[in-house]
């Protein structure tokens, strides 16, 4: 069931059974028991703040005995936000994960290298791969039990065909492989693909990582609260699972929502029972296009994820996202050994730091002038580029004590005191 009937049913379920949503809708003067199309547009949005305020069970909409699993994510402030699932919710979710164009089968060996602790990410690939008949290696991430040396051994000795991880992991894996005298394009012949999520990925960084490993990347897009919302097709486009969710694009200027265009993504699940997802604001700025013309044949809409609204910056009256910088960087450095970038923006000036391998630094330096010219022509920014040795900023040895889960922050504004590039992973690189 999709469309009107499904939307009416899930909203009625939320209103009847979730104490938090019922009082929120009542406070807004909306009564979803008498349904009309116009009513949906008046339903207040659900935000990450609502998830925090409803903690621990204000959003629970089924009998506690029906809950099969409780996941939890934490925002930047570290406050917990729970995500409940019934057995049926899990079935629907894992089925959806298999929409990804990677096309898992019993011939695949899947290394799951995202965190198992509380988040949904590892569990969605673990369950979906098993459902497809593939072999699962539950490596996990950000644990002292899984240093990169061990993960690399698993990747090689068990002839892993598909790696499931954040994009940054593929860069770290490659750096570790090269340091061990291994060639990522030749010494892992079984590896055919990586399904990546957890970070926004620019087209150029995707191509860079594909070349680095001689594999195909299949991005997955979602969150712990919603699980997978979209994924890459065989033609390389990112599609939204529109047969399972109602997607709206919220125009920030007008406050109006529409099925296509650019703005903040808002999602409503047609199926979720334990914790209804109704008009949930993702906080991500996206562009959604009609899917009809994709070469893969799918009519699901295509999406480009630009990044978090909060991460935007303005140069010369234009809005830019960190991945716009990333796209220029990896476009100009295509074919180089692993490189990590970080930058600081001050007006129209960009201070770029490139962390190269010892053997790759000379090539990165050789391309610095071309990169500066591209930053100027494509972003309208003047840049100062420095090339630094491995370990300068992308460190792997400080994280075991980090209690909050975080992702590398590639770009910051001058004077902004944010955590930088160092990345929460295992406590040692060896
Ligand atoms: Zn497609």
């Amino acid at each position: 069931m999709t469309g009107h009937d499904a939307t009416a049913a899930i909203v009625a379920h939320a209103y009847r059974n979730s104490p938090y949503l019922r009082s929120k809708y009542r406070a807004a003067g909306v009564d979803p028991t008498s349904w009309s199309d116009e009513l949906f547009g008046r339903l207040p949005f659900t935000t990450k703040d609502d998830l925090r305020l409803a903690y621990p069970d204000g959003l629970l909409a089924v009998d506690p005995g029906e809950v099969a699993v409780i996941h939890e994510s934490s925002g930047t402030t570290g406050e917990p936000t729970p995500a409940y699932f019934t057995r049926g919710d899990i079935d629907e979710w894992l089925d959806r994960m298999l929409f990804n164009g990677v096309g898992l089968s019993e011939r695949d060996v899947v290394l799951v290298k995202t965190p198992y602790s509380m988040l949904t990410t590892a569990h969605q690939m673990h369950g979906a791969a098993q459902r497809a008949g593939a072999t699962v290696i539950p490596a996990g991430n950000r644990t002292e039990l899984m240093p990169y040396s061990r993960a690399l051994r698993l990747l090689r000795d068990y002839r892993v065909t598909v790696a499931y991880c954040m994009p940054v992991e593929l860069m770290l894996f490659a750096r570790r492989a090269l340091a061990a005298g291994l060639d990522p394009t030749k010494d892992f012949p079984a590896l055919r693909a990586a399904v990546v999520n957890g970070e926004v990925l620019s087209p150029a960084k995707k191509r860079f990582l594909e070349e680095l490993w001689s594999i195909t990347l299949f991005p997955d897009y979602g969150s712990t609260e919603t699980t997978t919302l979209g994924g890459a097709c065989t033609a390389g486009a990112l599609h939204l699972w529109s047969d399972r969710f109602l997607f709206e694009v919220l125009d920030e200027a007008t406050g109006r929502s529409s099925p296509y265009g650019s703005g903040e993504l808002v999602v409503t699940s047609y199926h979720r029972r334990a914790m209804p997802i109704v008009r949930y604001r993702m906080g991500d700025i996206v562009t959604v296009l009609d899917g009809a013309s994709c070469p893969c044949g799918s009519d699901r809409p295509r999406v480009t994820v630009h990044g978090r609204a909060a991460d935007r910056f303005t140069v010369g009256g234009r809005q830019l996202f960190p991945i716009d910088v990333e796209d220029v960087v990896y476009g100009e450095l295509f074919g180089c050994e692993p490189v990590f970038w970080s930058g600081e923006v001050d007006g129209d000036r960009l201070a770029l730091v490139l962390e190269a391998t010892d053997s790759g630094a000379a090539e990165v330096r050789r391309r610095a002038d071309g990169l500066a010219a591209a930053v100027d022509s494509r972003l309208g920014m003047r840049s100062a580029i420095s090339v630094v040795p491995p370990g300068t900023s992308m460190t792997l040895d400080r994280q075991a004590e980090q209690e909050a889960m975080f992702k590398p922050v590639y770009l910051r504004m001058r004077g902004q005191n944010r955590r930088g590039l160092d990345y929460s992973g295992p406590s040692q690189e060896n």
Side-chain angles (χ1 to χ4, degrees), residues 233-235 237 239 294-298 302:
C233 69
T234 50
H239 289 280
C294 188
C296 77
S298 169
R302 283 169 298 159

Side-chain angles (χ1 to χ4, degrees), residues 347-362:
D348 68 346
R349 290 167 180 269
L350 175 66
L352 260 184
V353 177
L354 304 174
E355 182 175 318
T357 57
D358 290 330
S359 52

Side-chain angles (χ1 to χ4, degrees), residues 13 17-18 59-67 84-86 89 273-276:
H13 169 65
N17 300 311
S18 157
L59 288 167
L60 185 62
V62 296
D63 185 274
E66 286 184 60
V67 176
Y84 298 93
F85 298 83
T86 65
D89 290 341
R273 300 296 296 175
M275 185 176 104

